Amino acid sequence: MRKKVVVKIPELIKAHNISLRELSRISDVRHAALSELANGKRESISFSHIERIAEALNISDIREIIELMDEGEGAHIP
């Protein structure tokens, strides 16, 4: 089965009790880009975005931000 990288934006904003707009502001990642990632509409993310999100939320383990899943797996529901 094919694998898919999932960016866990909905989980991050919930865990840190912030809005998507606030995450955009503190990470300096465009709101539109974060929204597309949160809704599974964006196919790629840059390493600099991951780094900025990690720094903004004081995350040291990349697995808190991204996850590798089987493509048909429905565990990630924004």
Side-chain angles (χ1 to χ4, degrees):
M1 183 170 273
R2 291 185 53 183
K3 299 289 184 185
K4 180 177 181 175
V5 174
V6 175
V7 184
K8 303 190 301 186
I9 299 297
E11 293 90 337
L12 289 171
I13 61 175
K14 184 176 181 181
H16 291 269
N17 197 30
I18 59 172
S19 68
L20 194 61
R21 193 160 301 283
E22 179 67 5
L23 178 57
S24 172
R25 187 187 69 74
I26 64 175
S27 66
D28 197 29
V29 176
R30 287 183 325 107
H31 180 269
L34 291 174
S35 179
E36 290 171 353
L37 287 166
N39 293 310
K41 306 239 187 238
R42 191 175 186 113
E43 292 294 317
S44 64
I45 184 172
S46 71
F47 285 121
S48 67
H49 286 175
I50 294 171
E51 291 166 351
R52 285 188 248 162
I53 292 168
E55 187 173 315
L57 299 178
N58 199 26
I59 293 172
S60 59
D61 187 344
I62 195 169
R63 293 174 295 185
E64 289 184 50
I65 301 171
I66 62 175
E67 184 175 2
L68 187 60
M69 306 179 93
D70 289 333
E71 197 167 71
E73 196 172 328
H76 178 76
I77 301 171

